[in-house]
Short mmCIF file of all heavy atoms in Angstrom, two decimals:
data_model
loop_
_atom_site.label_atom_id
_atom_site.label_comp_id
_atom_site.label_asym_id
_atom_site.label_seq_id
_atom_site.Cartn_x
_atom_site.Cartn_y
_atom_site.Cartn_z
N ALA A 5 148.07 -85.54 94.70
CA ALA A 5 148.86 -85.72 93.48
C ALA A 5 148.27 -84.93 92.31
O ALA A 5 148.92 -84.74 91.30
CB ALA A 5 148.95 -87.19 93.12
N SER A 6 147.02 -84.49 92.45
CA SER A 6 146.39 -83.78 91.33
C SER A 6 146.63 -82.28 91.38
O SER A 6 146.12 -81.54 90.56
CB SER A 6 144.88 -84.05 91.32
OG SER A 6 144.27 -83.36 92.40
N SER A 7 147.42 -81.82 92.36
CA SER A 7 147.69 -80.39 92.44
C SER A 7 148.68 -79.99 91.35
O SER A 7 149.40 -80.82 90.79
CB SER A 7 148.24 -80.03 93.81
OG SER A 7 149.49 -80.66 94.02
N ALA A 8 148.72 -78.71 91.07
CA ALA A 8 149.62 -78.21 90.03
C ALA A 8 151.07 -78.31 90.51
O ALA A 8 151.34 -78.30 91.71
CB ALA A 8 149.27 -76.77 89.69
N ASP A 9 151.99 -78.40 89.54
CA ASP A 9 153.42 -78.44 89.86
C ASP A 9 153.88 -77.04 90.26
O ASP A 9 154.51 -76.33 89.47
CB ASP A 9 154.24 -78.89 88.63
CG ASP A 9 154.09 -80.37 88.34
OD1 ASP A 9 153.76 -81.12 89.28
OD2 ASP A 9 154.31 -80.76 87.20
N VAL A 10 153.57 -76.64 91.48
CA VAL A 10 153.84 -75.26 91.88
C VAL A 10 155.32 -74.93 91.87
O VAL A 10 155.70 -73.77 91.70
CB VAL A 10 153.24 -74.94 93.27
CG1 VAL A 10 151.74 -74.77 93.18
CG2 VAL A 10 153.60 -76.01 94.27
N ASN A 11 156.18 -75.93 92.06
CA ASN A 11 157.62 -75.66 92.06
C ASN A 11 158.24 -75.81 90.67
O ASN A 11 159.45 -75.85 90.53
CB ASN A 11 158.35 -76.55 93.07
CG ASN A 11 158.12 -78.03 92.78
OD1 ASN A 11 157.24 -78.37 91.99
ND2 ASN A 11 158.90 -78.89 93.41
N ASN A 12 157.40 -75.91 89.65
CA ASN A 12 157.89 -75.97 88.28
C ASN A 12 157.97 -74.54 87.75
O ASN A 12 156.94 -73.92 87.51
CB ASN A 12 156.95 -76.82 87.42
CG ASN A 12 157.63 -77.36 86.19
OD1 ASN A 12 158.69 -76.87 85.78
ND2 ASN A 12 157.03 -78.35 85.56
N LYS A 13 159.16 -74.01 87.61
CA LYS A 13 159.34 -72.62 87.19
C LYS A 13 159.04 -72.46 85.70
O LYS A 13 159.38 -73.33 84.90
CB LYS A 13 160.77 -72.16 87.48
CG LYS A 13 161.13 -72.19 88.96
CD LYS A 13 160.52 -71.01 89.72
CE LYS A 13 160.79 -71.08 91.20
NZ LYS A 13 159.94 -72.06 91.92
N VAL A 14 158.43 -71.35 85.37
CA VAL A 14 158.02 -71.08 84.00
C VAL A 14 158.77 -69.86 83.47
O VAL A 14 158.90 -68.86 84.16
CB VAL A 14 156.50 -70.81 83.93
CG1 VAL A 14 156.07 -70.48 82.50
CG2 VAL A 14 155.72 -72.00 84.46
N THR A 15 159.28 -69.98 82.24
CA THR A 15 159.91 -68.85 81.56
C THR A 15 159.17 -68.64 80.24
O THR A 15 158.89 -69.61 79.54
CB THR A 15 161.40 -69.13 81.27
OG1 THR A 15 162.01 -69.67 82.43
CG2 THR A 15 162.12 -67.87 80.85
N VAL A 16 158.85 -67.38 79.95
CA VAL A 16 158.16 -67.05 78.70
C VAL A 16 159.01 -66.01 77.98
O VAL A 16 159.33 -64.95 78.54
CB VAL A 16 156.74 -66.51 78.98
CG1 VAL A 16 156.04 -66.13 77.68
CG2 VAL A 16 155.92 -67.54 79.74
N TYR A 17 159.43 -66.32 76.76
CA TYR A 17 160.35 -65.43 76.04
C TYR A 17 160.19 -65.62 74.54
O TYR A 17 159.71 -66.68 74.12
CB TYR A 17 161.80 -65.73 76.47
CG TYR A 17 162.27 -67.12 76.12
CD1 TYR A 17 162.96 -67.37 74.92
CD2 TYR A 17 161.97 -68.22 76.94
CE1 TYR A 17 163.36 -68.66 74.58
CE2 TYR A 17 162.38 -69.50 76.61
CZ TYR A 17 163.06 -69.71 75.43
OH TYR A 17 163.45 -70.99 75.08
N PRO A 18 160.57 -64.69 73.68
CA PRO A 18 160.97 -63.34 74.06
C PRO A 18 159.74 -62.50 74.41
O PRO A 18 158.62 -62.87 74.04
CB PRO A 18 161.63 -62.80 72.79
CG PRO A 18 160.93 -63.52 71.67
CD PRO A 18 160.59 -64.88 72.23
N ASN A 19 159.94 -61.44 75.11
CA ASN A 19 158.84 -60.54 75.48
C ASN A 19 159.37 -59.12 75.49
O ASN A 19 160.17 -58.79 76.35
CB ASN A 19 158.31 -60.93 76.87
CG ASN A 19 157.02 -60.21 77.24
OD1 ASN A 19 156.46 -59.46 76.44
ND2 ASN A 19 156.56 -60.42 78.46
N PRO A 20 159.01 -58.26 74.51
CA PRO A 20 157.98 -58.48 73.48
C PRO A 20 158.38 -59.54 72.45
O PRO A 20 159.56 -59.77 72.21
CB PRO A 20 157.86 -57.11 72.80
CG PRO A 20 158.74 -56.16 73.53
CD PRO A 20 159.58 -56.92 74.46
N ALA A 21 157.35 -60.15 71.86
CA ALA A 21 157.54 -61.18 70.85
C ALA A 21 157.05 -60.65 69.50
O ALA A 21 156.28 -59.69 69.45
CB ALA A 21 156.77 -62.43 71.24
N THR A 22 157.48 -61.29 68.42
CA THR A 22 156.99 -60.89 67.10
C THR A 22 156.25 -62.03 66.41
O THR A 22 155.06 -61.94 66.19
CB THR A 22 158.14 -60.38 66.20
OG1 THR A 22 159.22 -61.30 66.28
CG2 THR A 22 158.60 -59.01 66.64
N SER A 23 156.96 -63.12 66.11
CA SER A 23 156.30 -64.22 65.39
C SER A 23 156.23 -65.51 66.19
O SER A 23 155.38 -66.35 65.93
CB SER A 23 157.01 -64.47 64.06
OG SER A 23 158.36 -64.80 64.31
N MET A 24 157.13 -65.68 67.17
CA MET A 24 157.16 -66.88 67.99
C MET A 24 157.30 -66.50 69.45
O MET A 24 158.01 -65.55 69.78
CB MET A 24 158.38 -67.77 67.61
CG MET A 24 158.28 -68.42 66.26
SD MET A 24 157.10 -69.82 66.27
CE MET A 24 157.24 -70.33 64.55
N ILE A 25 156.64 -67.26 70.33
CA ILE A 25 156.87 -67.11 71.76
C ILE A 25 157.08 -68.49 72.35
O ILE A 25 156.47 -69.47 71.90
CB ILE A 25 155.73 -66.34 72.45
CG1 ILE A 25 156.13 -65.96 73.88
CG2 ILE A 25 154.42 -67.12 72.42
CD1 ILE A 25 155.33 -64.81 74.46
#
Side-chain angles (χ1 to χ4, degrees):
S6 71
S7 64
D9 286 336
V10 285
N11 58 347
N12 202 343
K13 298 283 176 284
V14 178
T15 313
V16 179
Y17 63 94
N19 190 3
T22 48
S23 59
M24 290 285 180
I25 191 159

